[in-house]
Amino acid sequence: MSEQTVVKPRTGTTPKTARPPLWKVILLNDDYTPREFVVGVLKKVFRMGEERAYAVMLTAHRRGACVIAVYARDIAETKATEAMELAKEKGYPLALSTEPEE
Ligand code: TYC
């Protein structure tokens, strides 16, 4: 009995190093958290400079919400929680949410 090895060529475009799906961290507006506090949180937790932090805060303030950045899921959730903890310590209702990027 003769042996035969059938080599099936790979087709498709699956990348060798699949990247993890990214999650958005969203800043939500409220009527009570001071603007400067929001800017400070964006600088500290999300490592933004003053100008970018101010612009993101203002967009959330005017439009109701603003995407801050995208990260791997666990990092997105940790940063959102960290920001809300800082606000809670001061008695502010600042809220952030996370959701998968399309
Ligand atoms: N709306 C707040 C105020 O007028 C400021 C603010 C901006 C709060 C953005 C939350 O995500 C926010 N003091």
Side-chain angles (χ1 to χ4, degrees):
M1 191 184 180
S2 71
E3 283 180 39
Q4 238 185 325
T5 304
V6 178
V7 178
K8 189 172 164 239
R10 287 191 182 279
T11 56
T13 57
T14 308
K16 280 196 180 135
T17 51
R19 282 170 295 150
L22 294 174
W23 286 59
K24 297 186 276 192
V25 180
I26 300 160
L27 176 68
L28 302 169
N29 188 37
D30 67 71
D31 291 339
Y32 304 103
T33 307
R35 290 178 176 217
E36 276 316 311
F37 181 83
V38 178
V39 171
V41 165
L42 293 173
K43 287 163 78 172
K44 185 168 182 205
V45 178
F46 298 93
R47 305 187 173 280
M48 285 183 186
E50 174 75 26
E51 286 188 11
R52 175 108 187 95
Y54 195 86
V56 167
M57 178 280 295
L58 209 55
T59 300
H61 176 74
R62 288 179 176 154
R63 302 170 68 109
C66 182
V67 174
I68 297 171
V70 294
Y71 302 96
R73 184 179 187 173
D74 61 336
I75 296 170
E77 285 170 355
T78 301
K79 284 185 182 284
T81 303
E82 205 180 323
M84 287 189 284
E85 291 290 337
L86 290 173
K88 206 171 159 190
E89 281 169 21
K90 297 277 184 186
Y92 299 138
L94 184 66
L96 293 86
S97 66
T98 59
E99 62 176 63
E101 198 186 45
E102 278 100 82

